[in-house]
Amino acid sequence: MSAPRMEVHAFGLRFANPVLTASGTFGYGSELAGSCPLTALGGLVTKGISLAPRAGNPEPRICETAAGMLNSIGLANVGLRAFLEEKLPFLRDCGTRVLVNFFGETEDDYLRCAEGLSGHGPGIDGLELNISCPNVKAGGLEFGVVPEVAGRLCERVRGATDLPLVVKLTPNVTDVVALARACVQGGASGLSLINTLRGMAIDARTRRPRLARVFGGLSGPAIKPVALRLVHEVARARLGVPIIGIGGIMSGEDAAEFLLAGATLVQVGTASFVRPDAAARVAEELLGYCAAQQVSDVSELTGALA
Amino acid sequence: MSAPRMEVHAFGLRFANPVLTASGTFGYGSELAGSCPLTALGGLVTKGISLAPRAGNPEPRICETAAGMLNSIGLANVGLRAFLEEKLPFLRDCGTRVLVNFFGETEDDYLRCAEGLSGHGPGIDGLELNISCPNVKAGGLEFGVVPEVAGRLCERVRGATDLPLVVKLTPNVTDVVALARACVQGGASGLSLINTLRGMAIDARTRRPRLARVFGGLSGPAIKPVALRLVHEVARARLGVPIIGIGGIMSGEDAAEFLLAGATLVQVGTASFVRPDAAARVAEELLGYCAAQQVSDVSELTGALA
Amino acid sequence: MRFFTAKVVESQDLGGAYSWLCLEGCEALAAASPGQFAMLRGWPGHDPLLSRAFSVLSTGPGTAEFLIRRVGRGSGLLGAARPGDPIRVVGPLGRGFPVATPEVTELLVAGGCGLAPLYFAARRAQAEGRRVRLLYGARQSCELVLADVLRARGVELQTATEDGSAGERGLVTALLERELAASTAGLRVLACGPEPMLRATREVARRHGVPCFLSLESPMACGVGACLGCAIPARDRPFLYVCKDGPVFAAEEVWP
Amino acid sequence: MRFFTAKVVESQDLGGAYSWLCLEGCEALAAASPGQFAMLRGWPGHDPLLSRAFSVLSTGPGTAEFLIRRVGRGSGLLGAARPGDPIRVVGPLGRGFPVATPEVTELLVAGGCGLAPLYFAARRAQAEGRRVRLLYGARQSCELVLADVLRARGVELQTATEDGSAGERGLVTALLERELAASTAGLRVLACGPEPMLRATREVARRHGVPCFLSLESPMACGVGACLGCAIPARDRPFLYVCKDGPVFAAEEVWP
Ligand SMILES: Cc1cc2nc3c(=O)[nH]c(=O)nc-3n(C[C@H](O)[C@H](O)[C@H](O)COP(=O)(O)OP(=O)(O)OC[C@H]3O[C@@H](n4cnc5c(N)ncnc54)[C@H](O)[C@@H]3O)c2cc1C
Ligand SMILES: Cc1cc2nc3c(=O)[nH]c(=O)nc-3n(C[C@H](O)[C@H](O)[C@H](O)COP(=O)(O)OP(=O)(O)OC[C@H]3O[C@@H](n4cnc5c(N)ncnc54)[C@H](O)[C@@H]3O)c2cc1C
Ligand SMILES: Cc1cc2nc3c(=O)[nH]c(=O)nc-3n(C[C@H](O)[C@H](O)[C@H](O)COP(=O)(O)O)c2cc1C
Ligand SMILES: Cc1cc2nc3c(=O)[nH]c(=O)nc-3n(C[C@H](O)[C@H](O)[C@H](O)COP(=O)(O)O)c2cc1C
Ligand code: FES
Ligand code: FES
């Protein structure tokens, strides 16, 4: 048998393979490029960008949990302008697809950020809209929990850019399918799920929360069963857009599980902290898996749960 | 300093210490009593009881995940009558507090089960109402996700029994505080949280779900950060009833964390599978923790997050 | 059933992905009978989380031996354990093979790592002066672990491999068919191995009217009847539980 | 920065909850300078999940040594590693101590497991023929690990313990105060240890007008600047990141 075909098409883009890095776990692309050859990836997703730079939350910002970690980085980022000036040049010719993750505290922030990220030619192949952010106007409730709110945001952002627009969903909701549907109706080109699960940790000796901001986002292998479930629920709803599966992927087999559950692409997050070459390794192992399982085209796996 | 006082009062009951076993992980009390002395516990919670016996789901019913496990036992149980005839006699004189967990597929099931479990004198100290069950009448949506539905169920069950009524909440919701509030308004004497997180697992080689019923409940250390967060959210809402903290407790320090987050009691679940004496050991370690931290009365810890 | 921490005394790689593990501090397993098992765990941290089920291979003064096929993470870690490593043990667990009277001849049928409980049964029969024969099948010769040991100890042994690299070429059930065709007097079949082999064994025994007992596997969380995770479909009720009703079942009780 | 799997050659329990670990296959760490660190991981499974940060203690041909204080699960597992065990390594990482010109005299101040980078600095200074003095404090004598080795190698060493069981009774900053009171000419203070000790060291150095560099710790996920988890409050911007801006900082850059 000839080598399995690993190329995947989604949102009008061609990806060399289905494995991307996840936002916030691979910096702006250059930090880990030395250990994780970008050309081995299907793509990378940048740290979340906002209109203005953000310093992030007070420390401690991270702590380890069983087979996982909590973070409350606070969406620290260099801001739109510095991103375009300082980070984009590297990404222009980095040898893989680039999705830029972005967010705002108001609808306007989101719109202006999407506009600002558009029209730069190569270097930004698509946008990933992070809707798990507190909505300042709505008193801190997240944009991503009420279908109408999320749908409206997608619709407005959709009008502000011509780039493929992937919407990243939060898992901390009763009915993810309702949200997903609203986003697709709002014009989402695809759906990324999942973002982190809300959690907390306490130091029993000091009696203090282990994160300065008390609550944080849980990621890593611990959340994989929840992530697979959400991907599968959304996939079964057949909303007509590709899904990017995210959550606890550490190996090529983990990636295959997400594809089988219904994802077209996957993202590798926390694994890159455990070993810097994780995403490239997942891609390589996924190729090995396809070869061993006599899968001639990796996209056959999508939704092929028996 | 004299030995820390470990006794706790809640729902009008005295518990020798704050550590109970969790429903579905300790059988009907006798299975593990040989390795886990019941007198060392604050109490035990039985496997969930329904009006009629239930055989449970097809196999495979369980699978391991990173620092956790999924189960879809399908609420297999001997049914109310056999419980009263065959299991209750052992519990009458077992040396610890007994809460009977129960559930139904309709409101009527719930009511009749609560009635059937009441008025038996010693052996049943209280009831734990599992509302994370598919509501047959409401087309399979769980009783535990819409505050009005959950509140109404609590109210009706409250009218059907004089026993302390603890309501066990599901974590798979956007707003657990709204649910908790509805249950307390419905007359709950206390709140247990959390039940399992909905998840799934896939065998990439066979392409099949690892559980016959595809979806299952995630438990174990993996979910502790989510459980602590939910307990803390509900505790901060100050609803005026004691909270039983559950989710991934493996050690006395884990138990202390739940108390600090706002729980009055805790339950040990999956840990009993990893070592049969887990709950007794957690109680012992919690005593050791109190002694080392110069806590003279364990109930001082409740909500004492710095 | 007891819960305790034992210590590795010796560990050997037997080839064919099998390890042999000898633990000390296992006084509590002295009363184990063939077919009973223990839940083992010997690694730090919560991943893997659950203990793994292994049949008792044999017991000595304070010691217990296990045969471990390294198929995944848990068995891989146990198979790689080194002398001095602590292993947490819950056991002895479950219902073993039925007790045999002197007039019974046990015909043991082992497939792959199903050898463990039958090795124990063979040695027990020898110790009790009962006649015993073992039919032992595997895919290839390197997987016929402990066959030499059994032969050296005088156990009557026939082997079969799928690739013909040792013993007869073919399945162990072909050996069984021939044995039962020759004579069935006083015979009782005890079998352990992969499910297809057990189903075939049951069928051959049924055809010849010979009582048959099967040692089954199923995923287990607790091993002690508390989780209800180890259900298998049964004949006269919906489910039986491998850890407490088994792992040894009369062939007609299960898989309706 | 490289990512590779090394192997334990030797491991020693130094007492006082300290282990000394020597790894082979560490050619990639040969270029490490004092103050740089590596992320280490050496256990199966996903729990613990993250690698742990350890300062390079010294490097040899293909080898690297680490001093490991066993304070929790990860350091406990690394400290208990045995010859042959595989250890995954990312390194060398971060910015080490500033390069010293021949006229600079480094005054090294170590508290507890803060010794590691200063041990490396002391040996490097010796190798380069620069004068170096080490002030080394701990709670009790058994925690003054490797002090004998340093003395035997001719490093000028003064010690202090809080309980007076070795060296002077008291804090290492008292030794520093005395040294700086005697003379500050050409001196540069390099320090590593618990935060209160570092703050006190900075204060003493500031009072005497001596340049001071601190090696800091913070929880880390990646060690390479990708997670933004290792933030510490800084003077002229909100945060600096220990793994990429440090772990060595000029004292006045941090903790405004
Ligand atoms: C009663 C009983 C006796 C057994 N005796 C032996 C024996 O003597 N020698 C031997 O080599 N093996 C024996 N097994 C099988 C052994 O338990 C599994 O091979 C082992 O659990 C695999 O764990 P793993 O982590 O290596 O594999 P993984 O595939 O990584 O395990 C994942 C999960 O599935 C479970 N699992 C996987 N395979 C099995 C299986 N076949 N049976 C039950 N659970 C499984 C594991 O326990 C674990 O929870 C026995 C099983 C049972 C139920
Ligand atoms: C740059 C740097 C260099 C270091 N050099 C050394 C050294 O040479 N020798 C030595 O013994 N120790 C050193 N440490 C501290 C060492 O990293 C921690 O002691 C270790 O991470 C504790 O892990 P644990 O699992 O044993 O403890 P746990 O408390 O179980 O760890 C829980 C989590 O907290 C993190 N954590 C706990 N304590 C620290 C700490 N002090 N610093 C950073 N993260 C921590 C762990 O990495 C882990 O993620 C260094 C730390 C840093 C940041
Ligand atoms: C340290 C850290 C920072 C993150 N930052 C972002 C971010 O800026 N935007 C975003 O959409 N997701 C962010 N995430 C979420 C990840 O992209 C991913 O959805 C999540 O971690 C689950 O995947 P994993 O289990 O593979 O890590 C972050 C996650 C981590 C651990
Ligand atoms: C095998 C299994 C069976 C369970 N059965 C029940 C049940 O019958 N009723 C119920 O309310 N919760 C049930 N639970 C949920 C537990 O009581 C507990 O809420 C959950 O497992 C989280 O705690 P843990 O992480 O300590 O296991 C079950 C859990 C497991 C693992
Ligand atoms: S393994 Fe838990 S009941 Fe059988
Ligand atoms: S540890 Fe990840 S950025 Fe510093």
Side-chain angles (χ1 to χ4, degrees):
Chain A
M1 204 179 89
S2 59
R5 187 183 148 91
M6 298 302 284
E7 218 176 276
V8 167
H9 292 259
F11 340 117
L13 298 174
R14 179 196 155 278
F15 295 84
N17 66 58
V19 183
L20 288 70
T21 60
S23 178
T25 63
F26 207 75
Y28 299 101
S30 61
E31 291 84 344
L32 288 168
S35 336
C36 186
L38 302 187
T39 50
L41 303 178
L44 69 83
V45 183
T46 66
K47 176 77 196 150
I49 304 295
S50 53
L51 217 47
R54 283 171 63 109
N57 285 339
E59 28 77 53
R61 291 179 174 185
I62 53 170
C63 86
E64 196 185 48
T65 67
M69 64 175 281
L70 287 166
N71 86 78
S72 76
I73 305 300
L75 297 166
N77 77 95
V78 297
L80 177 63
R81 176 202 292 238
F83 172 75
L84 295 176
E85 285 172 10
E86 294 160 26
K87 309 297 180 183
L88 186 54
F90 171 85
L91 296 171
R92 281 231 160 80
D93 209 26
C94 71
T96 194
R97 286 284 173 223
V98 176
L99 302 185
V100 178
N101 183 287
F102 72 105
F103 66 94
E105 291 176 357
T106 63
E107 264 190 26
D108 266 13
D109 281 3
Y110 272 105
L111 293 190
R112 290 168 57 203
C113 205
E115 279 164 12
L117 289 166
S118 305
H120 294 280
I124 304 183
D125 297 303
L127 301 183
E128 185 178 60
L129 174 64
N130 177 1
I131 58 173
S132 329
C133 298
N135 182 338
V136 167
K137 291 241 173 84
L141 197 73
E142 284 180 20
F143 280 98
V145 298
V146 180
E148 294 69 39
V149 176
R152 183 187 136 96
L153 179 65
C154 293
E155 208 175 307
R156 295 202 57 198
V157 172
R158 179 66 292 177
T161 176
D162 290 328
L163 289 168
L165 181 67
V166 178
V167 180
K168 184 162 178 185
L169 302 178
T170 167
N172 304 299
V173 295
T174 309
D175 184 358
V176 79
V177 173
L179 268 166
R181 184 170 286 121
C183 293
V184 172
Q185 282 165 356
S189 327
L191 299 167
S192 287
L193 56 166
I194 62 175
N195 212 316
T196 53
L197 283 170
R198 198 165 139 91
M200 80 180 281
I202 293 172
D203 183 331
R205 283 161 215 280
T206 61
R207 299 191 180 185
R208 283 161 55 161
R210 288 193 186 268
L211 299 176
R213 281 289 156 86
V214 184
F215 301 115
L218 183 64
S219 63
I223 70 169
K224 193 181 74 168
V226 176
L228 272 176
R229 183 264 292 185
L230 288 160
V231 165
H232 192 54
E233 282 179 351
V234 172
R236 290 204 305 187
R238 303 197 176 283
L239 302 175
V241 301
I243 295 171
I244 308 185
I246 320 170
I249 296 176
M250 305 295 282
S251 69
E253 246 185 61
D254 291 339
E257 291 166 25
F258 276 87
L259 299 181
L260 292 167
T264 299
L265 299 165
V266 299
Q267 291 177 15
V268 173
T270 301
S272 292
F273 304 156
V274 179
R275 49 185 299 161
D277 63 349
R281 196 155 156 270
V282 167
E284 191 185 309
E285 289 176 353
L286 183 60
L287 172 69
Y289 164 90
C290 289
Q293 302 284 314
Q294 321 225 314
V295 172
S296 59
D297 186 333
V298 71
S299 50
E300 285 168 26
L301 293 174
T302 295
L305 194 66
Chain B
M1 203 179 89
S2 58
R5 186 183 149 89
M6 298 303 285
E7 219 177 274
V8 168
H9 292 260
F11 338 118
L13 299 174
R14 178 197 156 278
F15 296 84
N17 67 57
V19 183
L20 287 70
T21 60
S23 178
T25 64
F26 207 74
Y28 298 101
S30 61
E31 290 84 346
L32 287 168
S35 335
C36 187
L38 301 187
T39 50
L41 302 178
L44 69 83
V45 183
T46 67
K47 177 75 197 151
I49 304 294
S50 53
L51 216 46
R54 283 171 63 109
N57 284 339
E59 28 78 52
R61 291 180 172 185
I62 53 171
C63 86
E64 196 185 50
T65 67
M69 63 175 281
L70 286 166
N71 87 78
S72 76
I73 305 300
L75 298 165
N77 77 96
V78 297
L80 177 63
R81 177 203 290 239
F83 173 75
L84 296 175
E85 283 172 10
E86 293 160 26
K87 309 296 181 185
L88 186 54
F90 171 84
L91 296 172
R92 281 231 161 81
D93 208 26
C94 71
T96 194
R97 287 283 174 224
V98 176
L99 303 185
V100 178
N101 182 287
F102 73 105
F103 66 94
E105 290 176 356
T106 63
E107 262 190 28
D108 266 13
D109 282 3
Y110 271 105
L111 292 190
R112 289 168 57 202
C113 205
E115 278 164 15
L117 288 167
S118 304
H120 296 279
I124 304 183
D125 297 304
L127 301 183
E128 185 178 61
L129 174 63
N130 178 0
I131 57 172
S132 328
C133 298
N135 182 340
V136 166
K137 292 241 173 86
L141 198 72
E142 285 180 20
F143 281 97
V145 299
V146 179
E148 294 68 39
V149 175
R152 184 186 134 97
L153 178 66
C154 293
E155 207 175 308
R156 294 202 57 198
V157 173
R158 178 67 291 177
T161 177
D162 290 329
L163 289 167
L165 181 67
V166 178
V167 180
K168 184 161 177 186
L169 303 177
T170 167
N172 304 301
V173 295
T174 310
D175 184 358
V176 79
V177 172
L179 269 165
R181 184 171 285 121
C183 293
V184 172
Q185 282 166 356
S189 326
L191 299 166
S192 286
L193 56 167
I194 61 174
N195 212 316
T196 52
L197 283 171
R198 198 165 139 89
M200 82 179 282
I202 293 172
D203 183 332
R205 283 161 215 278
T206 62
R207 298 191 181 184
R208 283 158 58 157
R210 289 194 185 268
L211 299 176
R213 281 290 156 85
V214 184
F215 300 115
L218 183 65
S219 63
I223 70 169
K224 194 180 76 168
V226 176
L228 272 175
R229 184 263 293 185
L230 288 160
V231 166
H232 192 54
E233 282 180 350
V234 172
R236 290 204 306 188
R238 304 197 175 283
L239 302 174
V241 300
I243 295 171
I244 309 185
I246 320 169
I249 296 176
M250 305 295 282
S251 69
E253 245 184 64
D254 291 339
E257 291 165 24
F258 276 87
L259 300 180
L260 292 167
T264 299
L265 300 166
V266 298
Q267 291 176 16
V268 173
T270 302
S272 293
F273 304 155
V274 179
R275 47 186 302 162
D277 64 348
R281 195 156 157 269
V282 167
E284 192 186 307
E285 288 177 353
L286 183 60
L287 172 68
Y289 166 88
C290 289
Q293 302 284 313
Q294 321 226 316
V295 172
S296 58
D297 185 332
V298 71
S299 50
E300 285 168 27
L301 293 175
T302 295
L305 193 67
Chain C
M1 182 259 283
R2 295 276 298 284
F3 171 62
F4 56 94
T5 302
K7 200 181 254 186
V8 177
V9 202
E10 206 185 328
S11 160
Q12 266 178 39
D13 188 335
L14 302 178
Y18 283 88
S19 294
W20 171 85
L21 198 64
C22 178
L23 306 183
E24 65 181 7
C26 289
E27 286 72 11
L29 296 184
S33 63
Q36 284 194 299
F37 68 101
M39 300 293 288
L40 306 184
R41 197 175 191 285
W43 50 81
H46 299 312
D47 181 54
L49 181 65
L50 302 170
S51 306
R52 272 39 180 171
F54 289 92
S55 303
V56 177
L57 181 73
S58 89
T59 59
T63 63
E65 296 170 27
F66 296 90
L67 176 64
I68 299 195
R69 183 153 175 239
R70 303 186 304 270
V71 298
R73 290 203 299 152
S75 55
L77 288 165
L78 287 167
R82 291 184 286 183
D85 285 352
I87 307 282
R88 291 214 242 127
V89 184
V90 186
L93 298 170
R95 239 178 31 170
F97 292 109
V99 175
T101 48
E103 54 277 13
V104 168
T105 300
E106 289 171 335
L107 188 55
L108 312 178
V109 186
C113 80
L115 178 71
L118 300 171
Y119 177 103
F120 195 4
R123 303 278 295 140
R124 177 65 56 92
Q126 283 192 314
E128 292 174 357
R130 283 182 286 110
R131 193 178 162 215
V132 71
R133 279 175 293 160
L134 175 62
L135 314 180
Y136 185 11
R139 278 175 307 179
Q140 44 190 343
S141 64
C142 71
E143 288 172 11
L144 285 174
V145 293
L146 297 181
D148 296 347
V149 175
L150 285 167
R151 267 203 203 90
R153 293 192 167 162
V155 174
E156 273 183 62
L157 178 65
Q158 296 176 54
T159 58
T161 52
E162 292 178 39
D163 68 354
S165 52
E168 301 207 12
R169 177 191 298 269
L171 299 176
V172 69
T173 41
L175 303 181
L176 177 65
E177 181 67 56
R178 198 172 55 204
E179 286 292 304
L180 296 187
S183 152
T184 61
L187 279 189
R188 175 188 286 173
V189 171
L190 313 184
C192 186
E195 187 173 318
M197 175 217 130
L198 292 181
R199 287 187 181 266
T201 298
R202 168 166 82 166
E203 185 47 29
V204 174
R206 192 195 55 72
R207 236 187 305 111
H208 291 276
V210 174
C212 177
F213 296 86
L214 309 176
S215 178
L216 304 189
E217 295 183 357
S218 105
M220 290 186 175
C222 71
V224 301
C227 74
L228 306 184
C230 61
I232 44 159
R235 177 141 304 183
D236 63 0
R237 43 185 149 167
F239 296 106
L240 283 165
Y241 292 92
V242 174
C243 75
K244 56 174 185 178
D245 301 319
V248 174
F249 297 92
E252 58 282 2
E253 280 182 291
V254 295
W255 298 331
Chain D
M1 182 258 285
R2 293 279 297 285
F3 171 62
F4 56 95
T5 301
K7 200 181 258 187
V8 177
V9 202
E10 205 185 328
S11 160
Q12 267 179 39
D13 188 335
L14 301 179
Y18 283 88
S19 295
W20 172 84
L21 198 64
C22 179
L23 307 182
E24 65 181 8
C26 289
E27 287 73 11
L29 297 185
S33 64
Q36 284 194 299
F37 68 101
M39 300 293 288
L40 306 185
R41 198 173 189 286
W43 51 82
H46 298 313
D47 181 55
L49 181 65
L50 303 170
S51 307
R52 273 36 182 173
F54 290 92
S55 302
V56 176
L57 181 71
S58 87
T59 59
T63 64
E65 296 169 26
F66 296 91
L67 175 65
I68 297 194
R69 181 150 178 241
R70 303 186 304 268
V71 298
R73 291 202 300 153
S75 55
L77 289 164
L78 287 167
R82 291 184 287 183
D85 284 353
I87 308 282
R88 291 214 242 127
V89 184
V90 187
L93 298 170
R95 239 178 32 170
F97 292 109
V99 175
T101 48
E103 54 279 10
V104 169
T105 301
E106 289 170 335
L107 188 54
L108 313 178
V109 186
C113 79
L115 178 70
L118 301 172
Y119 178 104
F120 195 6
R123 303 277 296 140
R124 175 65 55 93
Q126 282 192 313
E128 293 176 356
R130 284 182 286 109
R131 194 180 162 213
V132 71
R133 280 174 292 161
L134 174 62
L135 313 179
Y136 184 11
R139 276 174 309 177
Q140 44 190 343
S141 65
C142 71
E143 288 173 11
L144 284 174
V145 293
L146 298 181
D148 296 347
V149 175
L150 285 167
R151 266 202 203 92
R153 292 192 167 163
V155 174
E156 273 183 60
L157 177 65
Q158 295 177 53
T159 58
T161 53
E162 291 177 39
D163 69 355
S165 52
E168 300 207 11
R169 176 190 297 270
L171 299 176
V172 69
T173 40
L175 303 182
L176 176 66
E177 181 68 54
R178 199 172 54 203
E179 285 292 303
L180 295 188
S183 153
T184 60
L187 279 190
R188 175 189 287 174
V189 171
L190 313 185
C192 186
E195 186 173 320
M197 175 218 131
L198 293 182
R199 287 187 182 264
T201 299
R202 169 166 81 167
E203 185 47 30
V204 175
R206 194 196 54 74
R207 235 186 306 110
H208 290 276
V210 174
C212 176
F213 295 86
L214 308 175
S215 178
L216 304 189
E217 295 183 357
S218 104
M220 290 186 176
C222 69
V224 300
C227 73
L228 306 184
C230 61
I232 46 159
R235 176 141 304 181
D236 62 3
R237 44 184 149 169
F239 297 105
L240 283 165
Y241 293 91
V242 174
C243 76
K244 57 176 185 175
D245 302 320
V248 174
F249 296 93
E252 57 282 1
E253 279 182 291
V254 293
W255 299 331

